[in-house]
Amino acid sequence: MSTIIRINNLKLYYDQFLALKDVSLDIPEKAITAFIGPSGCGKSTLLRTLNRMNDMIPATRIEGSVQIAGSEVYGEDVQVEILRKQVGMVFQQPNPFPKSIYDNVAYGPRLHGSPGKAELDELVEQSLRQAALWDEVKDFLKRSALGLSGGQQQRLCIARAIAVQPQILLMDEATSALDPISTLKIEELVQELKSKYTIVMVTHNMHQAARISDRTVFFLNGEIIEADDTRKLFSTPSDSRTEDYISGRFG
Ligand SMILES: Nc1ncnc2c1ncn2[C@@H]1O[C@H](COP(=O)(O)OP(=O)(O)OP(=O)(O)O)[C@@H](O)[C@H]1O
Ligand SMILES: [Mg+2]
Protein backbone atom coordinates (compact mmCIF):
# COMPACT_ATOMS: atom_id res chain seq x y z
CA MET A 1 0.00 0.00 0.00
CA SER A 2 1.43 3.38 -0.89
CA THR A 3 1.29 6.33 1.46
CA ILE A 4 -1.01 9.21 0.51
CA ILE A 5 -0.96 11.24 3.75
CA ARG A 6 2.30 11.92 5.53
CA ILE A 7 2.20 13.70 8.88
CA ASN A 8 5.51 14.73 10.40
CA ASN A 9 6.16 16.16 13.87
CA LEU A 10 2.81 17.87 13.94
CA LYS A 11 1.89 20.01 16.92
CA LEU A 12 -1.43 21.78 17.27
CA TYR A 13 -2.22 24.36 19.91
CA TYR A 14 -5.64 25.67 20.87
CA ASP A 15 -4.40 28.92 22.36
CA GLN A 16 -1.94 27.73 25.05
CA PHE A 17 -3.19 24.15 25.09
CA LEU A 18 -1.12 21.62 23.17
CA ALA A 19 -3.75 19.24 21.74
CA LEU A 20 -1.43 17.32 19.39
CA LYS A 21 2.06 16.69 20.72
CA ASP A 22 4.50 15.85 17.99
CA VAL A 23 2.40 13.49 15.92
CA SER A 24 3.94 11.58 13.00
CA LEU A 25 1.89 9.18 10.91
CA ASP A 26 1.72 7.71 7.42
CA ILE A 27 -1.72 6.88 6.05
CA PRO A 28 -2.01 4.43 3.16
CA GLU A 29 -3.94 5.09 -0.01
CA LYS A 30 -7.20 3.28 -0.79
CA ALA A 31 -7.48 1.70 2.61
CA ILE A 32 -9.49 2.36 5.75
CA THR A 33 -7.59 3.86 8.67
CA ALA A 34 -9.39 4.08 12.01
CA PHE A 35 -8.54 6.54 14.81
CA ILE A 36 -9.43 5.25 18.27
CA GLY A 37 -8.82 6.47 21.81
CA PRO A 38 -10.58 8.02 24.79
CA SER A 39 -12.59 11.22 24.58
CA GLY A 40 -10.44 14.34 24.27
CA CYS A 41 -7.29 12.53 23.05
CA GLY A 42 -7.14 14.49 19.77
CA LYS A 43 -8.73 12.23 17.16
CA SER A 44 -11.03 14.89 15.70
CA THR A 45 -8.30 17.50 15.94
CA LEU A 46 -5.93 15.42 13.83
CA LEU A 47 -8.69 14.52 11.37
CA ARG A 48 -9.53 18.21 10.91
CA THR A 49 -5.92 19.10 10.13
CA LEU A 50 -6.19 16.95 7.00
CA ASN A 51 -8.56 19.36 5.25
CA ARG A 52 -7.85 22.41 7.37
CA MET A 53 -11.20 22.47 9.10
CA ASN A 54 -9.21 23.73 12.12
CA ASP A 55 -8.67 26.99 10.21
CA MET A 56 -12.16 27.94 11.28
CA ILE A 57 -11.34 27.63 14.98
CA PRO A 58 -9.78 30.82 16.32
CA ALA A 59 -6.40 30.72 18.09
CA THR A 60 -5.28 27.39 16.63
CA ARG A 61 -1.62 27.19 15.80
CA ILE A 62 0.20 24.47 13.90
CA GLU A 63 3.83 23.37 13.73
CA GLY A 64 5.21 20.55 11.62
CA SER A 65 4.04 19.14 8.36
CA VAL A 66 1.03 17.49 6.78
CA GLN A 67 1.46 16.33 3.21
CA ILE A 68 -1.14 14.89 0.91
CA ALA A 69 0.16 13.26 -2.25
CA GLY A 70 3.40 15.13 -1.73
CA SER A 71 1.86 18.60 -1.33
CA GLU A 72 2.05 20.59 1.88
CA VAL A 73 -1.51 21.05 3.25
CA TYR A 74 -0.38 24.14 5.19
CA GLY A 75 1.64 25.54 2.28
CA GLU A 76 1.26 29.24 1.51
CA ASP A 77 -0.29 28.83 -1.92
CA VAL A 78 -2.87 26.21 -0.92
CA GLN A 79 -6.42 27.04 -1.94
CA VAL A 80 -8.51 25.68 0.88
CA GLU A 81 -11.63 25.21 -1.30
CA ILE A 82 -9.65 22.98 -3.65
CA LEU A 83 -8.12 21.09 -0.75
CA ARG A 84 -11.59 20.41 0.70
CA LYS A 85 -12.79 19.18 -2.67
CA GLN A 86 -9.91 16.72 -2.61
CA VAL A 87 -10.50 15.81 1.04
CA GLY A 88 -14.19 15.43 1.79
CA MET A 89 -15.73 15.08 5.23
CA VAL A 90 -18.74 13.39 6.82
CA PHE A 91 -19.75 14.35 10.35
CA GLN A 92 -21.39 12.68 13.32
CA GLN A 93 -24.80 14.26 12.78
CA PRO A 94 -26.11 13.93 9.23
CA ASN A 95 -26.20 17.51 7.92
CA PRO A 96 -27.97 17.59 4.55
CA PHE A 97 -28.83 21.03 3.20
CA PRO A 98 -32.52 21.99 3.35
CA LYS A 99 -32.77 21.31 -0.36
CA SER A 100 -33.92 18.45 -2.53
CA ILE A 101 -32.07 15.14 -2.58
CA TYR A 102 -30.88 15.94 -6.09
CA ASP A 103 -29.67 19.43 -5.19
CA ASN A 104 -27.74 18.14 -2.21
CA VAL A 105 -25.66 15.86 -4.41
CA ALA A 106 -25.43 18.40 -7.25
CA TYR A 107 -24.26 21.14 -4.88
CA GLY A 108 -20.51 20.47 -5.03
CA PRO A 109 -20.29 19.82 -8.78
CA ARG A 110 -22.22 23.06 -9.41
CA LEU A 111 -19.95 24.97 -7.04
CA HIS A 112 -16.79 23.73 -8.72
CA GLY A 113 -17.91 23.94 -12.34
CA SER A 114 -20.91 24.38 -14.59
CA PRO A 115 -21.90 20.88 -15.63
CA GLY A 116 -24.72 20.46 -18.15
CA LYS A 117 -27.98 18.80 -17.10
CA ALA A 118 -27.19 15.39 -18.58
CA GLU A 119 -23.76 15.36 -17.01
CA LEU A 120 -25.17 16.43 -13.66
CA ASP A 121 -27.94 13.81 -13.80
CA GLU A 122 -25.31 11.19 -14.45
CA LEU A 123 -23.09 12.40 -11.61
CA VAL A 124 -26.01 12.50 -9.16
CA GLU A 125 -27.06 8.97 -10.06
CA GLN A 126 -23.53 7.63 -9.91
CA SER A 127 -22.87 9.26 -6.51
CA LEU A 128 -26.15 8.00 -5.06
CA ARG A 129 -25.41 4.52 -6.38
CA GLN A 130 -21.95 4.55 -4.84
CA ALA A 131 -23.49 5.65 -1.57
CA ALA A 132 -25.94 2.72 -1.75
CA LEU A 133 -28.92 5.08 -1.70
CA TRP A 134 -30.06 5.25 -5.33
CA ASP A 135 -32.66 2.50 -5.19
CA GLU A 136 -34.34 4.07 -2.17
CA VAL A 137 -34.57 7.60 -3.58
CA LYS A 138 -34.53 7.40 -7.37
CA ASP A 139 -38.26 8.10 -7.65
CA PHE A 140 -38.22 11.12 -5.30
CA LEU A 141 -35.11 13.05 -6.20
CA LYS A 142 -36.99 16.36 -5.99
CA ARG A 143 -38.18 15.73 -2.44
CA SER A 144 -36.55 17.45 0.49
CA ALA A 145 -33.54 15.66 1.92
CA LEU A 146 -34.85 16.49 5.38
CA GLY A 147 -37.64 13.93 4.88
CA LEU A 148 -35.15 11.05 4.77
CA SER A 149 -34.35 8.86 7.77
CA GLY A 150 -31.15 9.53 9.71
CA GLY A 151 -29.35 6.63 8.06
CA GLN A 152 -30.51 7.72 4.60
CA GLN A 153 -29.45 11.30 5.35
CA GLN A 154 -25.99 10.07 6.31
CA ARG A 155 -25.68 8.08 3.07
CA LEU A 156 -26.84 11.23 1.24
CA CYS A 157 -24.03 13.17 2.95
CA ILE A 158 -21.60 10.51 1.72
CA ALA A 159 -23.06 10.85 -1.81
CA ARG A 160 -22.68 14.63 -1.54
CA ALA A 161 -19.06 14.24 -0.45
CA ILE A 162 -18.12 11.84 -3.25
CA ALA A 163 -19.95 13.81 -5.98
CA VAL A 164 -16.91 16.09 -6.28
CA GLN A 165 -14.65 13.06 -6.71
CA PRO A 166 -12.38 13.52 -3.70
CA GLN A 167 -9.28 11.42 -3.12
CA ILE A 168 -9.83 11.17 0.60
CA LEU A 169 -12.94 10.85 2.73
CA LEU A 170 -12.81 11.79 6.40
CA MET A 171 -15.51 10.44 8.70
CA ASP A 172 -15.82 11.66 12.28
CA GLU A 173 -17.99 9.19 14.21
CA ALA A 174 -20.22 9.07 11.17
CA THR A 175 -22.34 6.20 12.48
CA SER A 176 -22.62 7.06 16.15
CA ALA A 177 -25.98 8.79 15.74
CA LEU A 178 -27.46 5.90 13.73
CA ASP A 179 -29.37 2.73 14.54
CA PRO A 180 -27.58 -0.65 14.20
CA ILE A 181 -29.00 -1.46 10.76
CA SER A 182 -28.06 1.92 9.28
CA THR A 183 -24.65 1.56 10.92
CA LEU A 184 -24.13 -1.80 9.26
CA LYS A 185 -25.16 -0.33 5.89
CA ILE A 186 -22.64 2.46 6.22
CA GLU A 187 -19.93 0.01 7.30
CA GLU A 188 -20.59 -2.08 4.19
CA LEU A 189 -20.62 1.02 2.07
CA VAL A 190 -17.31 2.25 3.48
CA GLN A 191 -15.72 -1.08 2.69
CA GLU A 192 -16.85 -0.76 -0.91
CA LEU A 193 -15.70 2.83 -1.17
CA LYS A 194 -12.12 1.99 -0.24
CA SER A 195 -11.49 0.63 -3.72
CA LYS A 196 -11.78 4.24 -4.92
CA TYR A 197 -11.04 6.44 -1.93
CA THR A 198 -8.72 6.66 1.01
CA ILE A 199 -10.86 6.63 4.14
CA VAL A 200 -9.88 7.97 7.54
CA MET A 201 -12.48 7.42 10.21
CA VAL A 202 -12.77 8.29 13.88
CA THR A 203 -14.78 5.81 15.86
CA HIS A 204 -15.62 5.16 19.50
CA ASN A 205 -16.76 1.72 18.54
CA MET A 206 -13.78 -0.60 18.77
CA HIS A 207 -15.72 -3.44 17.21
CA GLN A 208 -16.32 -1.20 14.23
CA ALA A 209 -12.62 -0.36 13.94
CA ALA A 210 -11.72 -4.04 14.23
CA ARG A 211 -14.41 -5.08 11.73
CA ILE A 212 -13.78 -2.69 8.90
CA SER A 213 -10.45 -0.91 9.09
CA ASP A 214 -7.15 -2.00 7.61
CA ARG A 215 -5.04 0.08 9.96
CA THR A 216 -5.78 1.40 13.42
CA VAL A 217 -4.19 4.31 15.22
CA PHE A 218 -4.52 4.53 19.00
CA PHE A 219 -4.29 7.99 20.59
CA LEU A 220 -3.84 9.05 24.17
CA ASN A 221 -3.53 12.65 25.44
CA GLY A 222 -2.62 14.14 22.09
CA GLU A 223 -0.07 11.48 21.20
CA ILE A 224 -0.09 8.44 18.98
CA ILE A 225 0.68 5.46 21.15
CA GLU A 226 0.46 2.84 18.44
CA ALA A 227 -0.37 2.63 14.74
CA ASP A 228 -0.47 -0.76 13.11
CA ASP A 229 -2.28 -3.26 10.99
CA THR A 230 -5.75 -3.56 12.57
CA ARG A 231 -5.56 -7.29 13.18
CA LYS A 232 -2.15 -6.95 14.79
CA LEU A 233 -3.15 -4.00 16.97
CA PHE A 234 -6.25 -5.76 18.30
CA SER A 235 -4.64 -9.17 18.76
CA THR A 236 -1.09 -8.43 19.91
CA PRO A 237 -0.68 -4.72 20.66
CA SER A 238 2.91 -3.59 21.27
CA ASP A 239 2.11 -1.07 24.01
CA SER A 240 0.49 -1.97 27.32
CA ARG A 241 -1.64 1.22 27.14
CA THR A 242 -3.15 0.02 23.87
CA GLU A 243 -3.82 -3.32 25.49
CA ASP A 244 -5.51 -1.62 28.46
CA TYR A 245 -7.69 0.48 26.18
CA ILE A 246 -8.83 -2.26 23.81
CA SER A 247 -9.59 -4.58 26.68
CA GLY A 248 -11.80 -1.88 28.22
CA ARG A 249 -9.66 -1.10 31.25
CA PHE A 250 -9.99 2.66 30.69
CA GLY A 251 -11.66 5.20 28.44
N1 LIG B 1 -12.12 24.44 19.58
C1 LIG B 1 -11.38 24.06 20.62
N2 LIG B 1 -10.86 24.97 21.46
C2 LIG B 1 -10.12 24.60 22.53
N3 LIG B 1 -9.81 23.33 22.82
C3 LIG B 1 -10.30 22.37 22.02
C4 LIG B 1 -11.09 22.68 20.89
N4 LIG B 1 -11.43 21.53 20.28
C5 LIG B 1 -10.86 20.54 21.00
N5 LIG B 1 -10.18 21.04 22.05
C6 LIG B 1 -9.42 20.28 23.04
O1 LIG B 1 -8.43 19.50 22.38
C7 LIG B 1 -8.37 18.18 22.91
C8 LIG B 1 -8.65 17.18 21.80
O2 LIG B 1 -10.00 17.33 21.38
P1 LIG B 1 -10.64 16.46 20.21
O3 LIG B 1 -11.97 17.02 19.95
O4 LIG B 1 -9.68 16.38 19.10
O5 LIG B 1 -10.74 15.04 20.92
P2 LIG B 1 -11.42 13.69 20.40
O6 LIG B 1 -10.39 12.63 20.56
O7 LIG B 1 -12.02 13.89 19.07
O8 LIG B 1 -12.55 13.45 21.51
P3 LIG B 1 -14.03 12.83 21.35
O9 LIG B 1 -13.82 11.37 21.28
O10 LIG B 1 -14.71 13.24 22.61
O11 LIG B 1 -14.67 13.42 20.13
C9 LIG B 1 -9.37 18.13 24.05
O12 LIG B 1 -8.69 18.36 25.25
C10 LIG B 1 -10.31 19.27 23.73
O13 LIG B 1 -10.87 19.80 24.90
MG1 LIG C 1 -13.99 13.90 18.36
Side-chain angles (χ1 to χ4, degrees):
M1 284 190 284
S2 58
T3 297
I4 183 165
I5 302 172
R6 191 153 270 168
I7 300 165
N8 270 309
N9 303 110
L10 182 69
K11 291 183 182 166
L12 186 144
Y13 294 87
Y14 292 115
D15 215 339
Q16 302 297 316
F17 176 69
L18 183 57
L20 295 175
K21 307 168 183 167
D22 201 26
V23 166
S24 295
L25 179 69
D26 283 356
I27 296 180
E29 187 174 34
K30 293 188 179 158
I32 303 172
T33 298
F35 289 179
I36 63 167
S39 183
C41 65
K43 305 178 296 292
S44 297
T45 299
L46 185 63
L47 198 72
R48 287 193 300 255
T49 64
L50 304 179
N51 67 351
R52 292 185 50 170
M53 293 297 273
N54 286 316
D55 286 14
M56 299 180 195
I57 304 171
T60 52
R61 192 157 52 82
I62 286 237
E63 289 169 21
S65 147
V66 180
Q67 289 184 345
I68 293 182
S71 299
E72 205 52 70
V73 166
Y74 288 87
E76 272 174 20
D77 51 353
V78 170
Q79 291 177 271
V80 175
E81 277 63 43
I82 302 211
L83 171 71
R84 296 206 183 121
K85 176 172 181 286
Q86 192 188 4
V87 188
M89 196 159 193
V90 178
F91 299 88
Q92 181 171 10
Q93 290 296 335
N95 59 350
F97 302 129
K99 294 172 179 283
S100 70
I101 294 166
Y102 185 99
D103 287 342
N104 264 274
V105 184
Y107 182 85
R110 282 175 173 148
L111 192 70
H112 292 285
S114 41
K117 183 173 184 311
E119 188 188 344
L120 205 53
D121 285 353
E122 170 70 32
L123 205 58
V124 167
E125 175 171 345
Q126 191 192 319
S127 307
L128 287 167
R129 279 191 191 281
Q130 278 187 48
L133 187 60
W134 174 251
D135 289 338
E136 287 158 67
V137 302
K138 62 177 191 287
D139 299 325
F140 335 99
L141 293 175
K142 295 290 167 202
R143 283 196 199 161
S144 170
L146 302 182
L148 297 171
S149 74
Q152 290 172 325
Q153 288 189 9
Q154 196 62 307
R155 279 178 283 144
L156 180 66
C157 292
I158 293 172
R160 183 177 65 190
I162 61 189
V164 295
Q165 294 162 325
Q167 278 185 288
I168 299 169
L169 202 54
L170 310 177
M171 307 180 84
D172 196 347
E173 297 189 48
T175 62
S176 64
L178 304 180
D179 65 274
I181 292 174
S182 303
T183 297
L184 209 64
K185 270 201 175 140
I186 299 223
E187 288 183 7
E188 285 169 5
L189 165 62
V190 168
Q191 280 173 298
E192 278 170 30
L193 291 176
K194 80 168 180 182
S195 64
K196 287 192 147 116
Y197 310 97
T198 298
I199 293 165
V200 188
M201 54 182 273
V202 172
T203 180
H204 269 281
N205 180 338
M206 279 188 278
H207 297 293
Q208 180 171 71
R211 254 193 318 264
I212 70 172
S213 72
D214 300 291
R215 289 187 65 82
T216 298
V217 184
F218 171 59
F219 292 76
L220 202 58
N221 297 325
E223 288 177 287
I224 291 178
I225 303 301
E226 189 162 347
D228 211 333
D229 179 81
T230 294
R231 243 172 299 160
K232 162 81 172 60
L233 187 135
F234 281 100
S235 59
T236 47
S238 318
D239 194 292
S240 61
R241 291 166 293 181
T242 314
E243 167 108 60
D244 287 348
Y245 184 72
I246 62 176
S247 57
R249 278 196 277 276
F250 69 90

